Each structure stands twice: as structure tokens, then as C-alpha cells.
Amino acid sequence: MEFDNDHCIKMNDGNKIPAVGFGTYSPDAVQKSKCEEATKVAIEVGFRHIDGAFVYGTEEEVGRAIHEKIADGTVKREDIFYTGKLGSTFHRPELVRNCLEQSLKKLKFDYLDLFIIHIPVSLKPGPDLSPMDENGKLIFDIVDLRQTWEAMEACKDAGLVKSIGVSNFNIRQLEMILNKPGLKYKPVLNQVECHPYLNQGKLLAFCKSKDILLEAYSVLGSQRDKMWIDQSTPVLLEDPVLGAIARKYNQSPALVALRYQLQRGIVVLFKSFTRKRIEENLQVFDFQLSEEDMKTIDGMNKNGPYGHLKP
């Protein structure tokens, strides 16, 4: 993959995306309160790609952090690449722009750099972002995502977003969008869970063949939130194979996991509330893994996602 001097990659619509991004998902109120400060730190140390979402509930905090760094002269708005996501309760085409405009209002932005469909699962519209029935089961909605995509295209045409993409789509779902009659813009990227235990080889090959970038979240194996992660699953950063390669390069296992994805042509997201770790992870451009070590990490693949509810 070709990086320019700013470590950016050109997408299929001609716009550029920084190859490493800072995530802002915060699972609870305590972490939400830390999100604003962490975003400021990320910008201070050099991150220009900030990944957010309507459902994270942190866009006001993230927006304040970015505006503070604009006000003190650290960055200009055009230096920041911000990703927002369409919530699943807004998939009906007439609701897409409403979700986007709510995000823009919270962030106090005129536009988003990238707007993506968060999950290819539609939920019942309404104020509750995770609508449940009396038995605690999610209430789904039936929406043709090709119509949702047309509404995304309209948001781009209106100048409210510069690029549009998807998240958590499989090959069949991507083909549904790509084969849509009258397609105006194809997705610039697909953001998915991706790490050495789930390396998404087939999906990556498909996306490359269609000039769609793959963007990875949970690249370090996730933060093991008990709500989502089976605690018996192995801890990626404690894997002895990754540890041995990290020692060979005098780097941390986290940096090796990040570098592995970059060398596969994947945009990577990571998050931390610790300045030391935020600074460290920008050192991913300071070394290169050998072809042999890349193949060794390929061999760690278990096709196992971290991101699922415990049984």
C-alpha cells in the first residue's frame, strides 16, 4: 500500500484517509467522561483521523475536543478526518439525513469526512437506539439497504459528507450495494472487526478487487468488555507468537498487531485513554515486518470474532 508523506491512503472517490485512526467508543459513563480528554491528547500527539458514531453517545465530547484543538491553533478543521456512522434505527431512507444532521449538530461541524452504515441490521425507528420487546429481544425493522444507500448518496450530493461507506458488511451484502441498478457512488471502505485471530483474508481480497478499503476495529483484540466478550477467549496481546515477533523488533505486541494490518493495506483504528499508549501507537510507521513474520502472523488466524455476545 502506498502512503503519502502524511501517512494517508487515497480512497476510490479520490479523497484521502489517514491510515491510522483514533476510536471514541466508550462503553460507560466513566469512560465517556474520559473520551474528551483522550481525543485532545490524540490530536496533540499527531492523530488526525477520529472515528466516532451516533450510537456511541460521545459526539458532543469529541466535538468539543476537536474545536478546542482548532481554537488553540493545533489543527484546522480540514486537518481532521472525522468518521460518523448511521444508527440502525435510522435505516429508512427518509431518516438517514436526520441521523447525519443530529451528529453534525452535536459535533458543531458543517460536514463529515466519512459517513458509514454502522451495521447491516435495521432496528425499529424511535428514540430508543436498541428497541426491545417485553421479552428483552431486539425489535427489528425491514429495510432495503439499497434504498438506505441511495439516501447516503444524497447526503454526499448535498455536501454534508465527503465520502460514504459501510461497516460490518459481508461479501454478499457488499455485492448487493455494488450491483444495485443506478449506483452513483460505491462504498469507499468497509469497517470490520479484524485482528490476527480473525484476519478477514477472503473479505480483504474481495474488497481489494473492488477498490474498497478495509478498515479494522478491535485490532488489538478488543478491551474484553464482559457484556460482549466471552472471558474464556484467549488474550491476543498475550499470544506467545506475537510476543516473540515483538521482541525481535524491540516493539510492543500492540505495535506489531497494528503494523501487520497496515502492511496488508488495511486502515487501522485503536483507542486508549492513556497518553503513553496513544503516543506509542503512532510509532507504527517506524518499522517494517518481514514477509516471513507477516506469514507467521497470518498463521495465527482462527476465524474467531471477539465481538459477540456471550452464550
Side-chain angles (χ1 to χ4, degrees):
M1 165 156 305
E2 299 265 332
F3 299 119
D4 63 15
N5 292 335
D6 293 325
H7 304 305
C8 291
I9 305 163
K10 187 177 280 191
M11 300 184 288
N12 64 40
D13 64 356
N15 293 324
K16 291 181 177 181
I17 182 170
V20 179
F22 183 76
T24 59
Y25 169 66
S26 303
D28 56 48
V30 174
Q31 293 195 27
K32 279 183 174 67
S33 69
K34 295 178 181 177
C35 183
E36 184 173 344
E37 187 58 35
T39 303
K40 284 191 281 190
V41 169
I43 294 171
E44 286 165 7
V45 305
F47 279 90
R48 296 295 178 261
H49 175 180
I50 309 294
D51 182 81
F54 180 84
V55 299
Y56 292 172
T58 57
E59 288 190 311
E60 288 182 16
E61 290 85 353
V62 171
R64 279 199 302 268
I66 293 170
H67 285 292
E68 187 171 319
K69 292 292 103 186
I70 292 171
D72 71 11
T74 304
V75 290
K76 302 185 181 75
R77 168 64 185 95
E78 56 267 28
D79 298 329
I80 296 293
F81 186 100
Y82 182 84
T83 299
K85 302 186 187 79
L86 178 72
S88 288
T89 55
F90 293 87
H91 281 184
R92 293 185 186 183
E94 67 272 17
L95 299 179
V96 170
R97 182 161 172 162
N98 176 265
C99 179
L100 171 59
E101 288 178 338
Q102 286 189 55
S103 285
L104 290 170
K105 186 177 180 182
K106 289 174 183 173
L107 292 156
K108 297 185 178 171
F109 284 173
D110 296 323
Y111 67 90
L112 298 187
D113 298 274
L114 175 62
F115 189 46
I116 62 181
I117 298 175
H118 200 156
I119 301 174
V121 176
S122 306
L123 298 176
K124 178 187 173 185
D128 190 347
L129 300 180
S130 298
M132 303 273 190
D133 63 18
E134 62 275 12
N135 299 313
K137 303 280 189 184
L138 282 170
I139 305 172
F140 296 101
D141 196 20
I142 299 173
V143 181
D144 185 340
L145 289 176
R146 291 170 294 189
Q147 294 182 341
T148 307
W149 187 254
E150 287 176 3
M152 299 281 285
E153 291 177 323
C155 290
K156 178 175 166 72
D157 284 338
L160 297 176
V161 298
K162 291 192 171 184
S163 299
I164 51 176
V166 297
S167 180
N168 299 300
F169 274 49
N170 59 30
I171 291 174
R172 182 185 59 79
Q173 291 158 338
L174 284 169
E175 285 179 326
M176 179 183 68
I177 300 295
L178 293 171
N179 296 332
K180 186 186 82 67
L183 181 70
K184 195 166 188 179
Y185 309 114
K186 65 181 181 179
V188 294
L189 61 70
N190 183 21
Q191 185 185 120
V192 297
E193 179 183 353
C194 187
H195 44 75
Y197 288 163
L198 178 68
N199 71 22
Q200 300 281 14
K202 286 183 182 177
L203 184 60
L204 175 60
F206 176 83
C207 286
K208 283 185 174 181
S209 76
K210 303 297 181 184
D211 195 21
I212 295 170
L213 286 175
L214 204 66
E215 182 176 41
Y217 65 80
S218 292
V219 288
L220 306 181
S222 96
Q223 292 191 325
R224 307 188 70 79
D225 185 333
K226 287 183 180 178
M227 176 181 171
W228 296 102
I229 306 301
D230 182 342
Q231 299 299 293
S232 68
T233 56
V235 179
L236 174 66
L237 296 183
E238 294 175 3
D239 190 291
V241 174
L242 207 59
I245 293 173
R247 287 191 296 274
K248 177 178 172 181
Y249 290 89
N250 197 27
Q251 303 289 347
S252 68
L255 272 176
V256 170
L258 288 168
R259 182 70 206 185
Y260 167 69
Q261 302 293 15
L262 286 181
Q263 286 183 217
R264 301 172 77 215
I266 296 175
V267 176
V268 293
L269 300 172
F270 106 101
K271 74 184 183 76
S272 173
F273 296 124
T274 309
R275 177 181 282 269
K276 182 174 177 289
R277 285 189 186 148
I278 295 171
E279 288 176 335
E280 178 194 75
N281 286 336
L282 267 188
Q283 295 167 19
V284 71
F285 298 105
D286 297 346
F287 70 103
Q288 186 156 339
L289 297 169
S290 70
E291 193 174 325
E292 181 185 353
D293 290 327
M294 288 291 292
K295 285 179 181 173
T296 299
I297 300 173
D298 282 341
M300 294 171 60
N301 183 48
K302 306 176 191 291
N303 282 323
Y306 270 106
H308 59 83
L309 284 170
K310 290 188 296 179

